[in-house]
Amino acid sequence: QSALTQPASVSGSPGQSITISCTGTSSDIGGYNYVSWYQQHPGKAPKLMIYDVTNRPSGVSNRFSGSKSGNTASLTISGLQAEDEADYFCSSHTSSSSWVFGGGTKLTVL
Amino acid sequence: QVQLQESGPGLVKPSETLSLTCSVSGGSVSSGSYYWSWFRQPPGKGLEWIGYVYYSGSTHYNPSLKSRVKISLDTPKNQFSLNLKYVTAADTALYYCARKADYGSLFEPWGQGTLVTVSS
């Protein structure tokens, strides 16, 4: 059982927007602005898409955005494209000075 | 542009020690304020943070693995390494190395990963 809770799957049509939630506790997501999101295509290494809740690394499309409210963080992808189909993982710093992940969400572009 | 590459045995026997190396190119493990990190991902499952070593040599580990893990720097070779003792089948996973900025949750770049299977 993962420390952070994500939906197992989400889906959307090309051009639509989707949001993936990531729920933790006051000891992780709620306590720190150190939430990140990763995209992982089959057989590939994770790719950082969002860090520190809302920041995008250089080269990541501005169609990807992050937010946080209380103990829940969210990743929104707007203007869905076929290439966005992948697994997405959230991560957060914790009060024990470690890092925890969600179980992952499979995004299907219909 | 910093690049990371994992290497090491793909098969380890139960109760033995798993040893992996992450080679860094395009940057130095001893310069700048970075944490050099290890993660793992069992086949078909989620990610787990193992721990990291700071450029100064100090370390932080996942509490669930702390008793079995050691991460260290090899500055002459510009590498850092992972040792995990007393492995079992549950340690079978893809192992990734990555760099983390001094502050925050910026873990980037990542290596391509290396699969380690624990089996007799």
Side-chain angles (χ1 to χ4, degrees):
Chain A
Q1 187 173 356
S2 302
L4 306 178
T5 300
Q6 299 180 234
S9 63
V10 298
S11 63
S13 299
Q16 288 185 332
S17 294
I18 63 96
T19 296
I20 300 172
S21 63
C22 174
T23 302
T25 69
S26 58
S27 296
D28 38 65
I29 292 176
Y32 306 90
N33 287 323
Y34 294 152
V35 176
S36 50
W37 289 90
Y38 297 87
Q39 176 192 67
Q40 188 176 36
H41 288 109
K44 300 294 187 182
K47 176 185 177 183
L48 182 67
M49 306 302 285
I50 296 288
Y51 68 98
D52 296 351
V53 180
T54 61
N55 296 328
R56 279 187 308 275
S58 175
V60 172
S61 170
N62 60 9
R63 298 186 298 106
F64 291 82
S65 62
S67 62
K68 189 186 87 166
S69 177
N71 297 336
T72 298
S74 299
L75 172 71
T76 298
I77 308 173
S78 59
L80 266 182
Q81 299 179 359
E83 67 205 49
D84 299 332
E85 184 162 296
D87 293 326
Y88 291 84
F89 296 91
C90 61
S91 178
S92 174
H93 187 63
T94 79
S95 58
S96 57
S97 297
S98 62
W99 298 85
V100 293
F101 284 85
T105 298
K106 181 177 179 61
L107 169 62
T108 300
V109 180
L110 302 170
Chain B
Q1 179 181 351
V2 175
Q3 293 184 312
L4 284 69
Q5 176 70 58
E6 306 87 350
S7 61
L11 181 64
V12 181
K13 290 182 168 57
S15 80
E16 295 189 345
T17 297
L18 178 160
S19 296
L20 295 175
T21 296
C22 183
S23 299
V24 179
S25 59
S28 171
V29 297
S30 58
S31 68
S33 301
Y34 292 108
Y35 290 88
W36 301 95
S37 315
W38 286 98
F39 296 83
R40 68 181 183 178
Q41 185 175 33
K45 297 187 178 180
L47 292 159
E48 179 179 34
W49 174 73
I50 297 172
Y52 43 46
V53 56
Y54 198 39
Y55 79 104
S56 63
S58 64
T59 54
H60 300 267
Y61 300 129
N62 185 323
S64 69
L65 297 169
K66 188 174 183 178
S67 63
R68 299 193 291 133
V69 172
K70 180 180 179 181
I71 298 175
S72 58
L73 290 174
D74 185 341
T75 51
K77 293 184 178 179
N78 208 33
Q79 298 173 339
F80 62 104
S81 63
L82 168 68
N83 282 276
L84 181 65
K85 302 186 297 186
Y86 314 124
V87 297
T88 69
D91 295 309
T92 293
L94 267 166
Y95 284 77
Y96 295 99
C97 57
R99 185 185 73 173
K100 187 185 101 61
D102 200 357
Y103 293 101
S105 57
L106 180 54
F107 285 92
E108 189 187 58
W110 289 56
Q112 67 184 28
T114 187
L115 178 63
V116 179
T117 301
V118 178
S119 175
S120 55

